[in-house]
Amino acid sequence: MPNEPTDGRDAAAWSPLDSEGWYAALNATTAVRDALVRAGLEKDFPYLRADLNAFGHGLVELGRVSPNTAERLAELLRLALASGVGRDTEGAEHAPTAAEEHKGRI
């Protein structure tokens, strides 16, 4: 309305940089990319990217991969699970995820 006070912004001026979901997705994408680099799989995930849905929820797009890449990824996950990664042993605390580390920085 013409007489309504505004803060100088409207819906068209919205930016993903104002969204906590964007930063959560960006940090998680970076964590996935870093793990893929360590595993030598970074070139096998060319469509890896951070995204937001229509509701502002962060998403990580992994994209399409070849069957060979999917098999390699599955084997890495099996090895990680077999070694106990992700299990809470004797009440030990888990290291915070990239998304958890980012909370509160905005």
Side-chain angles (χ1 to χ4, degrees):
M1 304 304 290
N3 296 331
E4 284 186 31
T6 64
D7 62 357
R9 296 178 49 149
D10 61 13
W14 179 85
S15 168
L17 299 178
D18 297 332
S19 167
E20 184 175 324
W22 169 250
Y23 287 104
L26 187 62
N27 289 337
T29 301
T30 300
V32 170
R33 184 205 61 218
D34 292 347
L36 291 171
V37 166
R38 286 191 302 272
L41 291 170
E42 71 277 9
K43 292 183 180 177
D44 296 320
F45 286 82
Y47 302 106
L48 178 66
R49 67 185 180 99
D51 201 0
L52 286 177
N53 67 10
F55 302 102
H57 300 143
L59 301 171
V60 176
E61 177 72 40
L62 298 175
R64 295 178 179 186
V65 297
S66 70
N68 185 42
T69 298
E71 289 290 334
R72 290 173 61 199
L73 182 59
E75 182 60 23
L76 286 172
L77 291 171
R78 278 191 291 273
L79 291 170
L81 291 171
S83 72
V85 171
R87 292 188 191 150
D88 190 11
T89 57
E90 299 179 27
E93 292 186 23
H94 292 285
T97 64
E100 291 169 341
E101 286 179 355
H102 179 71
K103 272 194 172 176
R105 290 188 197 172
I106 298 178

